[in-house]
Amino acid sequence: MQKLKQVTEKFKVRFLEEAFDFLEGLDEKAREKVYYNIRKAQVTNSKELFKKLTNEIWEFRTLFNKMHYRLFAFWDRTDKIDTVVISTHGLIKKTGKTPKGEIEKAERLRRIYFEQKN
């Protein structure tokens, strides 16, 4: 009989309202692919799925049906038990470069998150 291998999540993921609304606005197959890639990123180290953009901002990356879906995120390590990645918002990319304004928006939402948390 084969042993089952236990896969451990490296971090938990939480969604701010805007990120959740973005995901809910996608068609079902695209949304499921994004969630699948997020779950995969939680157990693997893949820059194809979860990439650092700046010192503080990361993005979950999904390519599905020739569309590039991005969910911006940051780390919250203030809880000593769980490491959490907070997803701020998402977009469908049409170009190869991530718009600077979207990174700035994620940084602003990160600041607000920590201000409200403290």
Side-chain angles (χ1 to χ4, degrees):
M1 189 160 140
Q2 276 191 324
K3 283 186 175 180
L4 292 176
K5 188 174 182 180
Q6 179 72 26
V7 179
T8 305
E9 290 179 350
K10 297 176 188 323
F11 54 86
K12 296 186 181 309
V13 179
R14 300 290 177 259
F15 301 95
L16 296 182
E17 187 174 354
E18 192 170 337
F20 182 78
D21 290 345
F22 169 76
L23 289 166
E24 289 302 303
L26 299 177
D27 71 69
E28 184 179 351
K29 288 186 185 248
R31 181 173 51 249
E32 287 304 313
K33 180 65 174 181
V34 172
Y35 281 132
Y36 171 82
N37 280 354
I38 290 170
R39 287 189 300 274
K40 194 171 173 184
Q42 288 175 286
V43 297
T44 63
N45 288 330
S46 170
K47 288 184 180 177
E48 293 298 313
L49 299 174
F50 191 52
K51 182 179 176 185
K52 187 173 187 174
L53 298 176
T54 69
N55 281 341
E56 303 294 343
I57 303 302
W58 293 63
E59 69 178 356
F60 288 105
R61 304 158 55 92
T62 299
L63 175 60
F64 180 70
N65 282 347
K66 300 180 183 176
M67 302 289 281
H68 297 268
Y69 299 90
R70 298 294 187 260
L71 273 175
F72 296 91
F74 61 87
W75 294 86
D76 179 353
R77 294 183 174 97
T78 56
D79 183 348
K80 302 297 183 221
I81 298 166
D82 290 325
T83 298
V84 181
V85 171
I86 309 295
S87 180
T88 59
H89 69 291
L91 65 92
I92 299 172
K93 277 179 47 169
K94 295 177 177 38
T95 65
K97 197 163 179 151
T98 301
K100 187 177 180 196
E102 297 298 333
I103 295 171
E104 290 168 351
K105 179 177 181 177
E107 290 170 339
R108 186 175 65 253
L109 291 170
R110 179 185 174 277
R111 277 193 304 276
I112 292 167
Y113 170 85
F114 283 113
E115 285 169 7
Q116 291 176 349
K117 187 172 182 175
N118 297 334

